[in-house]
Structures are given as C-alpha cells and as structure tokens.
C-alpha cells in the first residue's frame, strides 16, 4: 500500500484558509489605498525569469544560492522570481519610448527564495514593491521613504514603533576610500563585511576587515561612524556627491516633519549589488522583534544595463508580508476581526419555495449587501449555529407565515436583537449598518 500524502504545505510556504485570506486581503487593501492615494500605479510581471537576470542584477549569491532554478525544455536556465526589482527594470527598459516619466509604480507579487525558513523569512512570501523611475533628485528618495512611513502609519503605527535608518552608498564608498585607501572594488568588498556586521561575531567582523587590508586604526575610524549623526558624518567627507545627497534628503525630512521617524546609520548598506545612492532599512523598535523589517534604495544604473546608453534613475523598496504581519501583531495593531461589517445568511424552511429565498438574496446582492442562502436542509437551530461560526452578522428569517404576510424577520447576531420588516425595509435597515 502506498504511503499517504501529507496534508502539510511545503516547508516555508503557507496555506491560506478563508480567515487568513481575509487578513491578507485586509492589509493588502490598506496598502493599495495608501499608495493609490499617492498616485502610485499597480503593475505585475511573470513568475519565471531568466536566471541570468538575477545573476547580473542582484548578485551571484542570490542567483546561485537563493533561487529555485531549473533548465527548461529549450535548455534555458530559468528561475522562479526571488525579487521584483530586476523584473520591473526590465519592463521599464522594454517600453522606454512609450512610458511617461517619472513613473510611480507598485506591485504585490509572490516570491520564492530557496533558503532556510525562520521567523520573518519564508520560502514563499508576498512583497510590496514601491518604485519611482526617472527622477534623479532627492525628491524621489523622499517620496519613496515618505510612502513607507505612510504605509505603517495607516496601520496605526507611530514613531515609537519603528525607525527608518538611512545611508548613502556613494557616501559610504567615498568614506571607505578615504579611510582605507581602497578602490571601488575594495569598497564593495568592505561593504559586504559591514552589511553582515550584526549577524557575525565581532572577532569575525574584525578578522574579515583585516583580511581586506584594513588596520586596527582604520577599523576604529569606521566604528566611530556608526554612532555619528548625519551632520558629523558628512563633515568627514563634505565633497562627496553622496554627502550632498544625504544633506538634501535630511533637510527635506526636517521640513516635512518626517525627521522624527528617521536617523542616519552608516551601517546600512543593503547587500544587493545594484544600489548606488540612498539606501534605507525600516526597523521595528519593539525589544522582542527588534530587527530590520524591510528596506530599499536608489539603483540608478539598473535600467541602463538593458538598453545601451539608457539613463533612467530608479529608487524603491520591498516590504514582505510576513514581517509586516509580525510587526502588526507585536504592536497589537491587528483588528479583532477581518469580517465584513454586514454579512447576511437567509435561512430556509421547507414550506417556502426555494425560489423565494433566491429572489431575496438577489435583491440583497443587487443592493451591494453580502448575502447567501443557507445551502442544505438542516433544522433552523443548526442554520443559526452555522451563521455564528461562519462570521455572519445577520440572519433573515422567512417561514411560511412571514412569506404569506410579505415580511421578513431580521436577527442581529451580535446584539441578538430581532425585528420584522418588509423586503424593502430589510435593505434600508442593513444599509444603515454598513
């Protein structure tokens, strides 16, 4: 006899039963509302891309170690998308002559990464991606960071709950070059070590920097930057283009009142190779969940890699649904229920033709009221039990006597109050409760 199939999903993925779907649709709905209100437009792309796209645009580590990849029947190396930025850059490059820049786009696709599942990181996840293309100035950086803050505020979060930590890759490279005398490739290697600083022991961190040629004195100078505010850090390398970008951005954050959510942090690097300017990460401030939730930055050269001599700047971020859910749970920002405010079950009796119930349900739906007739022939009490367990707010009762008199009884399952009205009165009564 063959072994029974497991009822569990593949490790690192999730089943979404109706309640989980209601929760997910709720917070995706909040996100869509906030972004569309700020004139961001939604897009999407294919689940499958060439593996070479991720190797070229995201780095060999992500392409080779973190993707689900395979060779298709045409002998092409393909990958299930682990992130969205290379795809959206490819899409922009493919329609450059038709698009109206600057672009403000967002998407909520699902992704797959072949890595060990842990808190806040699964193999399959959904990610909110927000990007602006075609604006070279700090205004796009400010708009993107502002949208991230607006999203969290829309869920009820305030400045005590999260912090946006900001750095600049151009500034970082110039500072490292000034301290350690490295070339751009040397600065890139140093950035990889610093990006892992919080994930490895101090001894290993120092060892790896020494192996790149840094002295103890140079390491100490870098360490001092981690506690500096933006003004003091900029003063160390004032002629850096990145320093000017940081100055403009933080001045704008001050003027817009968003500075209370943001700090400068020289340790924010963002490990992906395509970032070129502003980079940031949003941290949960709760002690029990003190971690980076999501982040992003500027990637001015990415679109140009698809089209020769094309110069289209980009800046954006990606926020995973798992970390967002943990943040909302940690700060008790999840609503008690995700059910619709009015959801009606029309109960059934044997002495009333089924068509009468169907007509009543159609009338409710035409009035934009969520409604269903009970499917089955169970006794009235069992129908009420079903309605309570399935999150219905009201039941409509129309037995033979009510049908003969042309009335309907309405029972509120939350208050247990009951009243009698006409079919037209039902609509007015329920509309008032929506």
């Amino acid at each position: 006899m063959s072994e029974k199939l497991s009822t569990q999903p593949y490790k690192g993925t999730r089943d979404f039963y109706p309640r989980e779907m209601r929760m997910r649709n709720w917070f995706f709905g909040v996100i869509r509302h906030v972004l569309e209100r700020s004139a961001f437009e939604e897009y999407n792309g294919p689940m499958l891309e060439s593996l070479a796209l991720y190797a070229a645009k995201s780095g060999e580590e992500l392409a080779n170690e973190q993707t689900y990849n395979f060779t298709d029947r045409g002998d092409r190396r393909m990958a299930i998308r682990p992130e969205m930025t290379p795809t959206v850059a490819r899409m922009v490059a493919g329609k450059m002559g038709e698009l109206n820049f600057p672009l403000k786009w967002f998407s909520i696709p699902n992704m797959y990464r072949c890595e060990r599942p842990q808190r806040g990181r699964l193999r399959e996840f959904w990610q909110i991606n927000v990007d602006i293309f075609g604006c070279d100035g700090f205004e796009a950086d400010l708009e993107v960071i502002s949208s991230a803050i607006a999203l969290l505020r829309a869920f009820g979060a305030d400045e005590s709950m999260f912090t946006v930590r900001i750095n600049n890759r151009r500034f970082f490279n110039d500072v490292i070059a000034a301290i350690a005398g490295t070339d751009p490739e040397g600065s890139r290697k140093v950035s990889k070590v610093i990006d892992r600083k919080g994930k490895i022991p101090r001894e290993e961190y120092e060892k790896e920097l020494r192996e790149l040629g840094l002295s103890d004195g140079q390491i100490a100078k870098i360490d001092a930057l981690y506690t500096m505010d933006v003004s003091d850090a900029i003063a160390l390398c004032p002629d850096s283009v990145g320093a000017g970008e940081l100055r403009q951005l933080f001045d704008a954050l001050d003027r817009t009142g968003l500075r209370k959510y943001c700090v400068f942090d020289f340790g924010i690097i963002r490990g992906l190779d395509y970032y070129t300017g502003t980079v940031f990460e949003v941290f949960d401030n709760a002690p029990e969940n003190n971690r980076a939730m999501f982040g992003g930055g500027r990637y001015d050269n990415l679109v140009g890699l698809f089209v020769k001599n094309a110069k289209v700047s980009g800046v954006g971020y990606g926020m995973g649904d798992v970390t967002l859910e943990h943040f909302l749970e940690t700060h008790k920002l999840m609503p008690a229920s995700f059910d619709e405010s009015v959801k009606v079950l029309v109960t059934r009796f044997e002495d009333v033709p089924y068509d009468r119930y169907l007509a009543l349900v159609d009338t409710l739906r035409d009035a934009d009221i969520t409604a269903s007739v009970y499917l089955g022939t169970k006794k009235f009490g069992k129908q009420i039990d079903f309605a309570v367990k399935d999150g219905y707010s009201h039941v409509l009762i129309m037995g033979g006597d009510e049908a003969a008199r042309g009335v309907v009884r309405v029972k509120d399952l939350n208050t247990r109050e009951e009243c009698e009205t006409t079919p037209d009165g039902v609509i007015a009564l329920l509309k008032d409760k929506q």
Side-chain angles (χ1 to χ4, degrees), residues 319-340:
M319 177 200 300
D321 67 320
V322 181
T323 52
L324 173 58
E325 182 179 340
H326 288 166
F327 174 79
L328 298 178
E329 289 173 344
T330 298
H331 294 278
K332 297 179 173 54
L333 298 175
M334 283 283 198
S337 172
F338 306 102
D339 294 326
E340 298 182 55

Side-chain angles (χ1 to χ4, degrees), residues 181-362:
T182 61
D183 59 14
E185 177 60 17
S187 294
R188 188 188 72 83
K189 291 178 179 178
V190 171
S191 76
K192 295 293 185 183
V193 179
I194 291 178
D195 189 48
R196 297 171 56 236
K197 178 173 67 72
K199 304 173 185 176
I200 59 177
R202 174 70 188 187
E203 296 77 13
E204 185 177 346
Y205 164 76
E206 293 181 1
K207 177 176 177 291
E208 291 186 13
L209 289 178
R210 291 191 190 100
E211 289 174 350
L212 293 175
L214 275 69
S215 67
D216 289 349
Q218 290 169 330
I219 294 173
K221 288 182 179 180
I222 293 173
D223 285 344
L225 283 155
Y226 297 144
T227 57
M228 288 186 183
D229 65 24
V230 66
S231 299
D232 291 338
I234 287 173
L236 297 177
C237 204
D239 296 329
S240 166
V241 172
E245 292 171 346
L246 279 171
R247 186 181 297 108
Q248 284 184 308
L249 177 58
F250 274 88
D251 284 349
L253 290 169
D254 279 327
R255 293 194 303 273
T256 57
L258 298 178
R259 184 68 167 83
K260 63 184 179 181
Y261 300 99
C262 305
V263 299
F264 169 74
D265 187 338
F266 190 74
I268 299 300
I269 303 299
R270 304 293 294 161
L272 299 177
D273 291 340
Y274 51 63
Y275 288 115
T276 57
T278 297
V279 286
F280 67 93
E281 291 186 355
V282 180
F283 278 72
D284 187 341
N285 292 337
E288 64 270 34
N289 195 44
N290 190 223
R291 52 160 296 172
M293 295 190 289
F294 65 94
R298 180 169 284 275
Y299 45 95
D300 288 342
N301 300 328
L302 196 54
V303 174
L305 294 175
F306 291 92
V307 180
K308 189 176 181 180
N309 298 323
K311 293 184 178 180
V312 180
S313 61
V315 58
Y317 63 86
M319 177 200 300
D321 67 320
V322 181
T323 52
L324 173 58
E325 182 179 340
H326 288 166
F327 174 79
L328 298 178
E329 289 173 344
T330 298
H331 294 278
K332 297 179 173 54
L333 298 175
M334 283 283 198
S337 172
F338 306 102
D339 294 326
E340 298 182 55
S341 58
V342 173
K343 181 181 176 184
V344 181
L345 181 70
V346 176
T347 57
R348 292 176 58 186
F349 295 86
E350 293 180 356
D351 56 348
V352 176
Y354 187 50
D355 291 353
R356 291 284 300 273
Y357 295 124
L358 292 179
L360 179 56
V361 164
D362 285 343

Side-chain angles (χ1 to χ4, degrees), residues 21-40:
M21 283 300 298
R22 287 195 291 271
M23 180 190 72
R24 200 181 79 179
N25 290 338
W26 164 74
F27 65 68
F28 284 180
V30 172
I31 289 164
R32 282 192 170 94
H33 176 72
V34 171
L35 293 174
E36 288 172 353
R37 190 176 58 193
S38 297
F40 284 90

